[in-house]
Amino acid sequence: MADIIYTYNNNVYFNITNRCTCKCIFCIRNEHDTLGEAKKMWHDHNPSWDEIKAAIDAFDFSPYKEAVFCGYGEPTCAYDNLILAAKYMKELYPDIKLRINTNGLGELFNKKPIAEELAKYIDHASISLNAPNAERYQEVTRPRFENAFKDMIAFSKKAKNLFESVQFSVVDVISAEEIEASKALSKELGIPLRVRTFS
Ligand code: SF4
């Protein structure tokens, strides 16, 4: 069984699913099979709620101020378990801030609005902008959906008004000009941008 909860650089993360709607060209899953202190990141089967709950019950969260839904997959692809886990964490640890790292395509995948419910239990959202325009987004993110950029942007605009904070990210696999254009777009949307280094 792979790690459902793992630590990395003194932070704690949830790996609740390996499913994803994208095939990003920079995805760490293409390079490494483990991360941080995790022994195994690829699940033999995507964890059930009972397995996720057991992992939460067994883990000592006392040193942490934040826990992140991230993992080796897109957390909103396990939407019901994501909500159950976030809700349970808030019951057990109301002082721990929760963050989701998401590709922003969870509404497309789940075929329903999810931003409002997510923001009820999760404090912060980091959304993969990945590119400054629709064409490059399809090339860099390689989503299973056509024209997914506009849906990711629509989700981000909603999220901005619902979560305590929202941040965009791009990875420096795109050109310097594209990073500048991403900064301009982020500014226009009023969402700060983090530029991540490809590793
Ligand atoms: S959205 Fe995340 S998990 Fe999915 S392919 Fe992109 S980087 Fe990898």
Side-chain angles (χ1 to χ4, degrees), residues 18-30 70-75 101-103 128 130 140-142 196:
N18 290 144
R19 293 187 78 185
C20 188
T21 44
C22 300
K23 284 187 184 161
C24 301
I25 58 170
F26 55 80
C27 183
I28 196 162
R29 307 189 305 175
N30 304 333
C70 175
Y72 254 27
E74 164 56 37
N101 291 352
T102 178
N103 60 21
S128 305
N130 288 353
V140 173
T141 307
R142 300 186 293 185
R196 290 172 45 214

Side-chain angles (χ1 to χ4, degrees), residues 93-150:
Y93 305 101
D95 295 334
I96 294 184
K97 293 285 183 186
L98 297 180
R99 174 156 60 95
I100 183 169
N101 291 352
T102 178
N103 60 21
L105 303 178
E107 299 201 336
L108 263 185
F109 175 76
N110 289 288
K111 298 188 177 75
K112 63 176 182 181
I114 61 170
E116 201 163 326
E117 188 177 33
L118 275 179
K120 249 196 229 171
Y121 306 107
I122 298 178
D123 307 281
H124 306 290
S126 175
I127 303 169
S128 305
L129 178 66
N130 288 353
N133 57 55
E135 192 188 345
R136 283 296 282 144
Y137 181 83
Q138 290 296 121
E139 288 169 3
V140 173
T141 307
R142 300 186 293 185
R144 73 160 71 155
F145 312 104
E146 301 271 321
N147 304 316
F149 187 71
K150 64 171 177 14

Side-chain angles (χ1 to χ4, degrees), residues 52-181:
I52 295 169
K53 182 176 179 297
I56 294 173
D57 289 340
F59 191 84
D60 176 14
F61 283 92
S62 57
Y64 300 99
K65 290 189 169 61
E66 185 187 61
V68 186
F69 290 96
C70 175
Y72 254 27
E74 164 56 37
T76 60
C77 288
Y79 186 68
D80 292 346
N81 286 343
L82 170 64
I83 291 295
L84 285 169
K87 215 168 163 177
Y88 189 53
M89 281 296 292
K90 282 293 176 197
E91 279 164 26
L92 295 183
Y93 305 101
D95 295 334
I96 294 184
K97 293 285 183 186
L98 297 180
R99 174 156 60 95
I100 183 169
N101 291 352
T102 178
N103 60 21
L105 303 178
E107 299 201 336
L108 263 185
F109 175 76
N110 289 288
K111 298 188 177 75
K112 63 176 182 181
I114 61 170
E116 201 163 326
E117 188 177 33
L118 275 179
K120 249 196 229 171
Y121 306 107
I122 298 178
D123 307 281
H124 306 290
S126 175
I127 303 169
S128 305
L129 178 66
N130 288 353
N133 57 55
E135 192 188 345
R136 283 296 282 144
Y137 181 83
Q138 290 296 121
E139 288 169 3
V140 173
T141 307
R142 300 186 293 185
R144 73 160 71 155
F145 312 104
E146 301 271 321
N147 304 316
F149 187 71
K150 64 171 177 14
D151 295 274
M152 179 274 294
I153 294 289
F155 174 80
S156 306
K157 284 181 179 170
K158 269 204 281 188
K160 186 190 148 196
N161 297 322
L162 293 166
F163 288 82
E164 211 173 294
S165 79
V166 173
Q167 174 181 260
F168 274 142
S169 70
V170 292
V171 179
D172 64 358
V173 292
I174 57 174
S175 69
E177 292 74 25
E178 287 166 340
I179 290 177
E180 285 312 307

Side-chain angles (χ1 to χ4, degrees), residues 129 131-132 168 170 174 176-195:
L129 178 66
F168 274 142
V170 292
I174 57 174
E177 292 74 25
E178 287 166 340
I179 290 177
E180 285 312 307
S182 301
K183 282 182 188 166
L185 176 62
S186 301
K187 198 170 171 194
E188 187 188 317
L189 295 170
I191 297 175
L193 177 73
R194 177 171 164 239
V195 180

